[in-house]
Amino acid sequence: MDDWRARFLASGDDADLPIVDAHQHYFDIKAHYYPWLNDRPLRPFRYGDYSSICRNFLPHDYRRLTGQHRIVQTVVIEGEWDPATPAEEVGFIESLAQDEPTLGAMVGQAWLDREDAPSLLREYGKHPLVRGVRHKPTVTSREEWREDFVAPGSMRDPRWREGYARLAENGLHFELQAPWWHLPEAAELARDFPDVTIVVNHTALPADRSAEGLAGWRDNLALLAREPNIALKISGICIPGQAWPIEANRVVVNDAISIVGVSRCAFASNYPVDGVVNSLSEVFDGFKTIVRNRPRAERLALFHDNARRIYRLT
């Protein structure tokens, strides 16, 4: 990897750019139970009908789709495995890692408000592949959200916070997936638990591309960016019914980097989930096009170095 870093810094050629895909998934829906993939009817989803990804997706499938992109490592994020047995997904991913050298780290599923959270986090802390956990907190619609929002399983729920408080002692960070209007709650969480890094998933979900929607997203992202213990994954910004829209996404990518800072952002594919809309190559082609005029060191940070640091990859 260091050889490719040096090669890219010398050439500036996208063909030499090493990529750490900071957010992807592996599924084996024939051998394991994923409620959102196995159950019918399908759940409502921001990309629409996702039946096309209700199938196995394993390392050989990922490799087949990378095209000309030089993916040197990936980070596997929990895939909404059966919540009754979250630790078993770690065993599944570890078994894949034995034969897949690019699989560098993973994020496990945890339900922080459950009674088993302390023991589960201790178990995760013993697994060398696990770097953090994801529990999608309870959220509400933008219209119903209020500044004093609190609900069971939300970021202000005392029971949920009790579980969150166990992350640092087990060497784990937190992956936050929530729409942008909940970022004020995340900012409180970051301040109250400064020893826990929060990695915001999918660009904080700027699905509403209206002027008002983007203004709200920018304001709340800026609020969260004041906290030093946050990072942002720029991913999950496909638009249903469109090829990966470079012009529509340009403002989102550039604003995210401007607000959070180059050193705290990382690009990711969200594959195979974004495969509902676009190919993996289209996703990385789009990111490369948008940042092509940035200095080489910044491009390397966004595609490679930051993810390696955030996920403590070797």
Side-chain angles (χ1 to χ4, degrees), residues 241-286:
Q242 296 186 30
W244 206 89
I246 290 174
E247 290 312 310
N249 282 340
R250 189 184 300 276
V251 64
V252 171
V253 172
N254 286 332
D255 284 353
I257 294 171
S258 177
I259 292 167
V260 178
V262 169
S263 66
R264 294 194 293 171
C265 293
F267 291 138
S269 73
N270 191 32
Y271 237 74
V273 179
D274 276 28
V276 172
V277 186
N278 298 135
S279 74
L280 190 150
S281 286
E282 286 174 328
V283 171
F284 280 123
D285 283 338

Side-chain angles (χ1 to χ4, degrees), residues 225-246:
R226 297 173 189 170
E227 310 308 324
N229 53 325
I230 70 105
L232 179 73
K233 285 192 285 195
I234 301 178
S235 60
I237 54 173
C238 299
I239 297 178
Q242 296 186 30
W244 206 89
I246 290 174

